[in-house]
């Protein structure tokens, strides 16, 4: 089993999930959301499949290692040498344009990550709230705010999706 993280914080957050899934594939943590920003991803968790040559063989997709279809797809890709070639052949250039990333929201999100890393939680939260106001459909920003404000709903016993739904409803009803 291998888990690779881009920073120590990412490793400590991902390792329990990786281990609980008994995953035997490499896990990369995009703790700075560089890939997410590049591909204008707005929700987590997402997965991508990159082959040993560094080629993207499957565009970003919702990943849930408890989902049997996801597991079967990953297992086939890891165990069948021909599957990589099939995925590469099947990958087609997108005919639709990628929505433009909100540059200011992305910059404020990044600034918040740096501020948090430097122990400035309140300033980080301020930047993330400004980013969310600029990009309200960005669930990566939204969940980052929640994870810092309510870590017990994310890290202690797993992600509490029921709490997230209730929290979202409560926030919608705020003036």
């Amino acid at each position: 089993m291998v888990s690779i993280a881009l920073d120590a914080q990412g490793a400590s957050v991902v390792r329990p999930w990786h281990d609980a899934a008994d995953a035997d594939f490499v896990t990369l943590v995009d703790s700075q959301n560089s890939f997410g920003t590049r591909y204008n991803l707005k929700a987590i968790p997402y997965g991508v499949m990159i082959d040993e040559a560094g080629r993207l063989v499957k565009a970003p997709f919702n990943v849930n290692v408890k989902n049997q279809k996801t597991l079967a797809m990953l297992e086939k890709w890891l165990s069948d040498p021909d599957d990589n070639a099939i995925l590469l052949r099947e990958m087609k250039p997108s005919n639709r344009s990628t929505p433009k990333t909100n540059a200011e929201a992305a910059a404020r999100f990044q600034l918040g990550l740096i501020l948090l890393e430097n122990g400035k939680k309140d300033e980080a939260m301020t930047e993330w709230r400004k980013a969310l106001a600029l990009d309200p459909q960005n669930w990566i920003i939204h969940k980052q705010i929640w994870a810092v404000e309510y870590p017990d709903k994310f890290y202690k016993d797993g992600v509490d999706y029921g709490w997230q739904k209730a929290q979202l409803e409560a926030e919608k009803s705020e003036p």
Side-chain angles (χ1 to χ4, degrees), residues 99-116:
K100 187 168 169 71
T101 299
N102 184 315
E104 184 179 349
R108 288 187 179 279
F109 180 75
Q110 292 300 318
L111 177 57
L113 292 173
I114 293 166
L115 289 165
L116 184 66

Side-chain angles (χ1 to χ4, degrees), residues 131-175:
L132 189 59
L134 292 165
D135 192 359
Q137 297 305 310
N138 191 316
W139 290 99
I140 293 172
I141 298 170
H142 211 122
K143 289 186 178 202
Q144 181 68 40
I145 292 169
W146 286 346
V148 171
E149 285 183 327
Y150 309 100
D152 58 310
K153 303 296 183 188
F154 285 81
Y155 304 116
K156 186 178 177 190
D157 295 318
V159 178
D160 186 342
Y161 293 106
W163 175 87
Q164 286 183 27
K165 186 175 181 180
Q167 184 69 12
L168 184 59
E169 290 303 315
E171 289 177 12
K172 283 181 182 177
S173 65
E174 290 177 0

